[in-house]
Amino acid sequence: MKIVPLLAVAALMAGCASVSPEGPRLDHTLTATAQSERIKYVIVHYTVSDLPRSIKTLAHGTEVSSHYLLTDTNPPFFYTLVDENRQSNHAGYSSWKIYNQLNSASIGIEIVNPGFTETPAGRVYAPFQQAQIDQLIVLLKDIVKRRNIPFGNILGHNDIAPQRKQDPGPMFPWKQLADAGLIPWPEASRVAARLPGFQQQLPEVAWFQRKLAEVGYAVPQNGELDQATRNVISVFQTKYRPSLYDGTPDAETAAQLDVLTSPVPVLPAAPAAPATPPPAEPVDSN
């Protein structure tokens, strides 16, 4: 009496294990509404080396890579090292807003640049070639269009890893990307209007920490001007005020933060002028 059920179970298991020679049966007629592009960010780096060593590290190394490598040749061009649909290992331990470990959600662009040298007078950063920036802007516009990258999601490596990274450094011309419509920028007139108030009364450290977090940075929220907070302030200043990036919370930094985190007020539309009625026709007295 027990043989029949056991045989049935064995037959059922054999049927489940069998695979159709044509492969799985897939129906592609439905598409989920709740989905989005996997790539949400573009991260800009410098290589801290010359072109041959950059190629050796990014193309032939086993630890780090990038989707694109922008050369310093004349003229500069891009090596496409990793397909955009695949993950490259360029971001490392990183965070921005609600995202962590941005390798899986970003495209990495490395720019050949020596980075910085240590001198008796302090650290000196190397400038970027204008031809490199021109090429970069062309590629960024293309990626933003194809991938629907949200406005504000083109970042530097130091933005997403402020405690351990400096690239692309204070010589990177972020303002040119803003002028090209690729990133937000604190409007100078609005910053100037708010500057006197912050010069008169500088906010507490906790205010700076809240504003930096609102922008997107991973920053302590302890109300203390510790080294981690200074590092984040310095990264912010490197981008928006590269003439001075010592990590000190000052009035200009406060004004820039306040403008970046305050939407431009939308003025109500003026009421439409009433339509002019057509001239009255003369009355026919006949």
Side-chain angles (χ1 to χ4, degrees), residues 240-263:
Y240 298 105
R241 207 265 310 276
S243 60
L244 179 62
Y245 49 93
D246 60 0
T248 300
D250 55 30
E252 185 178 14
T253 303
Q256 291 176 325
L257 271 170
D258 201 35
V259 169
L260 276 176
T261 55
S262 303

Side-chain angles (χ1 to χ4, degrees), residues 48-59:
V48 201
S49 57
D50 59 19
L51 181 56
R53 286 183 293 173
S54 298
I55 291 174
K56 181 179 179 180
T57 300
L58 296 169

Side-chain angles (χ1 to χ4, degrees), residues 32-42 83-86 99 104-107 142-150 153:
T33 301
Q35 61 176 297
S36 63
E37 175 68 55
R38 182 185 67 81
I39 301 299
K40 302 183 185 302
Y41 295 93
V42 180
D83 187 276
E84 287 184 6
N85 292 317
R86 295 179 62 83
Y99 288 90
S104 61
S106 64
I107 290 173
D142 177 63
I143 293 174
V144 167
K145 182 178 180 180
R146 288 187 290 102
R147 294 288 186 173
N148 295 315
I149 302 296
N153 283 13

Side-chain angles (χ1 to χ4, degrees), residues 67-181:
H67 293 90
Y68 297 95
L69 172 62
L70 179 55
T71 72
D72 60 350
T73 54
N74 184 20
F77 62 91
F78 291 96
Y79 282 108
T80 56
L81 303 181
V82 178
D83 187 276
E84 287 184 6
N85 292 317
R86 295 179 62 83
Q87 176 177 307
S88 74
N89 301 322
H90 65 96
Y93 181 75
S94 50
S95 178
W96 188 259
K97 294 186 177 179
I98 65 172
Y99 288 90
N100 295 311
Q101 310 297 350
L102 268 70
N103 275 336
S104 61
S106 64
I107 290 173
I109 302 175
E110 289 273 4
I111 306 174
V112 175
N113 178 282
F116 61 85
T117 55
E118 299 288 0
T119 73
R123 182 173 291 179
V124 177
Y125 285 84
F128 293 82
Q129 297 177 16
Q130 184 57 48
Q132 288 179 308
I133 303 305
D134 293 340
Q135 280 293 303
L136 177 65
I137 289 174
V138 172
L139 177 62
L140 289 174
K141 287 184 175 181
D142 177 63
I143 293 174
V144 167
K145 182 178 180 180
R146 288 187 290 102
R147 294 288 186 173
N148 295 315
I149 302 296
F151 185 61
N153 283 13
I154 296 174
L155 305 166
H157 199 185
N158 54 357
D159 287 320
I160 63 174
Q163 304 304 329
R164 62 187 185 88
K165 291 296 180 179
Q166 297 82 35
D167 57 313
M171 296 300 289
F172 184 79
W174 286 106
K175 183 60 165 60
Q176 290 192 40
L177 270 61
D179 293 341

